[in-house]
Amino acid sequence: MDRKLIAGVDSSTQSVKVVIRDADTGELVRQGKASHPDGTEVDPAHWLSALDKATEAAGGFSDVSAISVAGQQHGFVAIDKDAKVIRPALLWNDLRSAKAAADLNQEFGGPNETAKAIGSISPLGKSIKKSSDQLKVLGGLFMVMSAFNFVILLRYLSI
């Protein structure tokens, strides 16, 4: 009987970890890890590179039946209409825009009303406004993506 393998991928603020496990027993078969650069403002290309390195270190996915992916949230990746990154991503732990984010949440009627309206409270108010203004000048499409969604869309869904 062939062994059925499953993979788990976790892209955190510090690194990408890939584990391959036996689907029936949960036994760890192999694993890989690659670090992200330090900082709160990061070129998203580093995340994709780390994903590729961690996947290679774990022996790849060619014999894997299913992949589960988790990752950091509440980051900000600004992309243009062709899904090209136009500036370094801002991570959840970048506090430079905390006051502006609180002000933006208040414009919606407070955190509870903001969450009802858009599904989450805004952690990156000023940075989003600044990037939005830059995109208007460039004539690009303004899109907010979490780091997690960026990695999924670009690596696994091939947009």
Side-chain angles (χ1 to χ4, degrees):
M1 180 165 98
D2 287 334
R3 189 177 208 184
K4 186 174 185 179
L5 300 178
I6 56 175
V9 177
D10 178 33
S11 181
S12 70
T13 307
Q14 295 85 24
S15 65
V16 174
K17 295 161 284 295
V18 174
V19 296
I20 311 295
R21 293 190 174 269
D22 183 293
D24 295 320
T25 67
E27 174 193 354
L28 179 63
V29 176
R30 55 187 194 263
Q31 62 187 331
K33 180 179 177 181
S35 295
H36 292 311
D38 290 334
T40 60
E41 194 167 327
V42 177
D43 180 343
H46 292 296
W47 299 329
L48 296 173
S49 174
L51 174 61
D52 291 342
K53 289 175 185 172
T55 300
E56 183 179 337
F61 297 134
S62 64
D63 57 346
V64 169
S65 299
I67 301 172
S68 175
V69 183
Q72 60 179 306
Q73 297 181 33
H74 305 298
F76 170 73
V77 181
I79 60 175
D80 68 13
K81 62 183 174 35
D82 299 315
K84 302 293 183 222
V85 174
I86 62 162
R87 62 164 328 265
L90 299 174
L91 303 182
W92 66 271
N93 54 355
D94 187 323
L95 300 178
R96 293 177 289 180
S97 63
K99 168 126 177 43
D103 292 345
L104 184 61
N105 288 323
Q106 283 308 115
E107 287 180 30
F108 274 94
N112 289 336
E113 292 304 312
T114 303
K116 285 180 194 174
I118 64 173
S120 176
I121 63 168
S122 174
L124 298 166
K126 187 173 185 179
S127 301
I128 289 173
K129 182 182 183 327
K130 180 179 177 189
S131 292
S132 175
D133 292 344
Q134 291 171 343
L135 281 167
K136 287 176 190 169
V137 170
L138 296 172
L141 170 69
F142 176 67
M143 188 169 188
V144 178
M145 301 177 69
S146 70
F148 170 72
N149 290 336
F150 176 78
V151 168
I152 296 301
L153 286 172
L154 288 182
R155 186 54 76 227
Y156 294 112
L157 301 180
S158 300
I159 63 166

